[in-house]
Amino acid sequence: MKIATRLTSLILVLLFFILNDTFAQKFGYVDTDYILSQMPEYNEAKGEIEKISKAWEQEIQNMYKSIEEMETSLQAEEVLLTKEMKDDRLKEIDLKWDDVKAYQKKVFGFEGLFFLKKKELIKPVQDQVFDAVEKVAKNHRLQIVFDKSGDLVMIYTDPVHDYTDYVLEELGLGDKNDVISNN
């Protein structure tokens, strides 16, 4: 019952804004995932990020492998070691495990090196897209521009409000044979 009341209220508010010209707003949407996929700079940045990620993953794998080899060696030599020697080796192995886990967190943890590198490489490309979206919005007098690829759920989109091609054109990535019409 509450949902129906809220939905009715929402519909009435939306109708008020739509019917009242003083509050009428023009809106559109773009698909930034599609736009980014058309940008060579973005694809290069993604490739660089993947290459860096794989290098860090390999480095961490090698660290794990080294510790596992230390454990295997300890097991093989265990009968020949005194209790003190065994305890020292176990402490060394534990320290190595702590080090590799700390390094992994430093690289791939929240706001770690990987996150910072990704931000460094992707942000300039995203800024280009946002600048182009802003220009398109101003040129077409849009007050609101939604991102179709974002978390905002768009159940229905009328292609007449899709400004993705305009943003691609603004970035110089539009299809030369494609004529944009906003009927």
Side-chain angles (χ1 to χ4, degrees):
M1 188 70 163
K2 288 182 180 180
I3 294 174
T5 305
R6 287 183 181 167
L7 187 58
T8 304
S9 298
L10 180 64
I11 291 171
L12 289 174
V13 169
L14 287 173
L15 280 173
F16 172 77
F17 282 115
I18 291 170
L19 296 175
N20 188 343
D21 283 340
T22 59
F23 292 107
Q25 296 181 349
K26 191 172 176 189
F27 65 94
Y29 67 90
V30 297
D31 185 345
T32 56
D33 283 347
Y34 177 73
I35 293 167
L36 289 169
S37 74
Q38 299 300 305
M39 298 180 71
E41 305 95 325
Y42 180 73
N43 292 322
E44 289 171 16
K46 275 180 46 179
E48 182 69 21
I49 290 166
E50 190 173 313
K51 188 169 90 176
I52 290 168
S53 172
K54 283 183 181 179
W56 273 325
E57 286 173 6
Q58 185 62 50
E59 183 179 5
I60 291 169
Q61 278 301 107
N62 290 341
M63 292 169 82
Y64 275 114
K65 205 180 264 186
S66 171
I67 297 169
E68 289 167 356
E69 288 171 1
M70 289 174 70
E71 288 176 332
T72 303
S73 174
L74 174 63
Q75 287 174 350
E77 298 170 5
E78 190 171 11
V79 292
L80 303 174
L81 301 174
T82 65
K83 178 163 177 28
E84 287 177 357
M85 292 170 71
K86 181 181 172 185
D87 289 344
D88 288 344
R89 299 261 297 267
L90 285 171
K91 284 180 187 175
E92 183 182 355
I93 290 171
D94 286 343
L95 285 173
K96 293 283 186 182
W97 277 119
D98 291 343
D99 289 346
V100 74
K101 288 175 185 173
Y103 183 69
Q104 187 172 13
K105 184 177 179 182
K106 177 183 172 185
V107 172
F108 291 109
F110 180 69
E111 293 198 18
L113 296 173
F114 177 72
F115 171 81
L116 296 173
K117 191 63 173 177
K118 189 173 180 181
K119 184 176 171 183
E120 173 190 325
L121 293 172
I122 298 293
K123 187 170 180 350
V125 180
Q126 289 175 328
D127 288 346
Q128 282 183 303
V129 172
F130 294 138
D131 290 344
V133 168
E134 183 178 353
K135 285 179 185 177
V136 168
K138 286 179 180 178
N139 290 342
H140 293 274
R141 298 177 188 215
L142 302 172
Q143 285 78 33
I144 301 170
V145 178
F146 297 101
D147 182 0
K148 183 178 177 180
S149 61
D151 288 339
L152 175 68
V153 176
M154 299 177 78
I155 296 172
Y156 171 77
T157 56
D158 186 343
V160 74
H161 299 292
D162 187 351
Y163 288 83
T164 302
D165 288 337
Y166 289 103
V167 174
L168 285 169
E169 185 179 278
E170 183 66 38
L171 289 166
L173 299 170
D175 184 354
K176 308 298 182 236
N177 300 321
D178 191 18
V179 178
I180 297 174
S181 66
N182 207 4
N183 297 335

